[in-house]
Amino acid sequence: MTDPQQPGSSGFDPKSNPAPDLWAQAATNSGASVSDSSREPGWERATLEKLAFSALQEQRSARRWKIFFRLAWLVLIAAVAFAALRQASPSASKSMPHTAVVDIKGEIASGAEASAEFVVAAMRSALEDEGSQALVLLINSPGGSPVQAGIINDEIVRLKAKHNKPIYAVVEETCASAAYYIAAAADDIYVDKASIVGSIGVLMDGFGFTGTMEKLGVERRLLTAGENKGFLDPFSPQTEKQRAYAQTMLDQIHQQFIAVVKAGRGDRLKTTPDTFSGLFWTGQQAVEMGLADKLGNLDYVAREVVKVEDIIDYTRRDNVAERLVKRFGAAIGVGAVKSLAVAGPQLR
């Protein structure tokens, strides 16, 4: 019997017939395939073409998105322009008899919606329309610039004489200082019994930091040409001469304000020592003092006084585009200038 473990037998001999190395064969075959593929003619060009095609696809995609966003902006601008055109003029039925309204709301200041530029333009448009039977100034303002208020007051007087149409002031919550400066030129003033009316005075406010600067050890270095160029600088001491000069200026503006109120109210005004002191009163008190004529709102005046209930708003307002420009552009510069400027006299 043959021993399978003996050499020369017909059994398996690991030394004479070893098992195949599968890992070595796999590595050899892989290397061969890579070597074969790398030896294929033109493979470099094919790879470059694929890369170039991929880059071209990305450029086309980016171009399509750029065109899309440009078209979207054009549509947005067109929509804003359309809204601005619709907002620029009152209703198409304005030629029919109606009561015209112009809002005076918020601070009365240059660049604000209650600026002389906007209010005067709106008043002219309202009174020039043949359908308007009267103009109502709908007021809700704590006051502001005496210059802006003076311009509007003068224009009210001129427009009343030119168009021979009544102009009424209707007060909502507040009609104080510069707002009353404007209302005084109206034919009649209507208020709510709880409205705030009056504050016929002028102020100029600010702060002084000279003592604080000394305590902190901070030295103010202000160079001027002209002894009064640093007048009202909050970091410099105020002289008695400068204080007296400012007071004289305020008193002069106050007298201008008083003269306008007396001219507008005439014999209706019941003057007391407090009338021009800067105090304010309720609408009910204002009627008793002659600062206002009657209690009434916009609808009451249109229905009972003008006798035309249809109301058309002529108020000039910033459109959407203007608000965006002011918010993201011009308003930044204006805010910077205001932060550096000295506040002028205010009727508030």
Side-chain angles (χ1 to χ4, degrees):
M1 178 178 297
T2 305
D3 185 359
Q5 301 298 328
Q6 295 294 325
S9 65
S10 59
F12 175 74
D13 186 356
K15 294 182 180 180
S16 61
N17 190 18
D21 190 346
L22 299 180
W23 290 105
Q25 290 182 7
T28 302
N29 293 337
S30 175
S33 62
V34 171
S35 178
D36 292 342
S37 62
S38 64
R39 285 192 294 270
E40 291 180 1
W43 71 272
E44 300 94 339
R45 180 172 181 175
T47 303
L48 290 175
E49 287 178 351
K50 290 180 179 179
L51 292 174
F53 182 76
S54 177
L56 182 61
Q57 289 291 98
E58 291 181 0
Q59 291 179 358
R60 287 177 177 174
S61 178
R63 192 181 299 115
R64 292 192 191 100
W65 279 110
K66 186 181 294 184
I67 293 173
F68 170 78
F69 284 118
R70 286 178 178 176
L71 290 175
W73 274 110
L74 287 175
V75 171
L76 178 61
I77 293 171
V80 169
F82 178 74
L85 290 175
R86 285 178 59 87
Q87 192 179 45
S89 60
S91 171
S93 62
K94 65 179 183 178
S95 60
M96 301 296 292
H98 63 270
T99 299
V101 175
V102 172
D103 283 345
I104 300 178
K105 295 187 176 181
E107 182 185 7
I108 299 168
S110 177
E113 289 192 357
S115 66
E117 176 189 1
F118 284 6
V119 174
V120 168
M123 291 193 306
R124 289 174 182 171
S125 178
L127 293 173
E128 288 171 359
D129 187 85
E130 295 180 357
S132 65
Q133 305 302 300
L135 171 61
V136 174
L137 301 176
L138 189 60
I139 300 176
N140 184 12
S141 169
S145 166
V147 175
Q148 298 292 308
I151 294 172
I152 298 172
N153 182 285
D154 293 342
E155 191 65 11
I156 291 172
V157 174
R158 188 186 74 85
L159 291 173
K160 284 195 300 184
K162 178 180 180 180
H163 296 283
N164 196 28
K165 293 181 181 180
I167 298 179
Y168 304 110
V170 174
V171 179
E172 293 185 321
E173 281 83 4
T174 307
C175 180
S177 292
Y180 191 78
Y181 195 120
I182 294 171
D187 291 298
D188 291 308
I189 301 175
Y190 293 84
V191 297
D192 184 85
K193 59 182 177 294
S195 298
I196 299 299
V197 181
S199 188
I200 302 172
V202 189
L203 64 81
M204 178 185 292
D205 56 356
F207 296 93
F209 299 99
T210 53
T212 304
M213 300 268 289
E214 293 174 359
K215 291 179 180 180
L216 295 175
V218 179
E219 178 187 359
R220 170 66 164 164
R221 296 177 179 176
L222 176 66
L223 305 177
T224 64
E227 61 176 328
N228 293 310
K229 188 59 180 178
F231 180 36
L232 296 181
D233 174 55
F235 301 104
S236 300
Q238 186 182 59
T239 66
E240 182 60 29
K241 180 182 177 181
Q242 291 173 341
R243 191 205 65 77
Y245 181 85
Q247 188 61 54
T248 300
M249 182 171 60
L250 294 177
D251 291 340
Q252 186 177 31
I253 297 174
H254 190 206
Q255 289 303 316
Q256 295 170 0
F257 194 174
I258 293 172
V260 164
V261 173
K262 288 182 175 180
R265 300 303 299 166
D267 296 337
R268 293 171 290 182
L269 186 64
K270 301 180 176 85
T271 306
T272 70
D274 292 331
T275 301
F276 306 118
S277 68
L279 287 177
F280 49 84
W281 298 271
T282 65
Q284 184 175 347
Q285 291 173 315
V287 172
E288 295 171 357
M289 298 173 63
L291 292 172
D293 295 284
K294 294 180 181 179
L295 301 180
N297 56 25
L298 174 60
D299 291 332
Y300 171 84
V301 173
R303 182 180 63 251
E304 303 296 336
V305 181
V306 184
K307 305 296 184 183
V308 180
E309 295 190 47
D310 291 336
I311 298 172
I312 293 181
D313 188 357
Y314 286 79
T315 306
R316 169 72 166 85
R317 296 183 175 89
D318 284 345
N319 57 42
V320 177
E322 289 172 333
R323 285 197 294 269
L324 288 173
V325 169
K326 286 185 178 181
R327 183 172 182 179
F328 297 107
I332 298 175
V334 172
V337 172
K338 284 184 177 180
S339 66
L340 298 174
V342 176
Q346 296 289 307
L347 302 181
R348 57 180 174 83

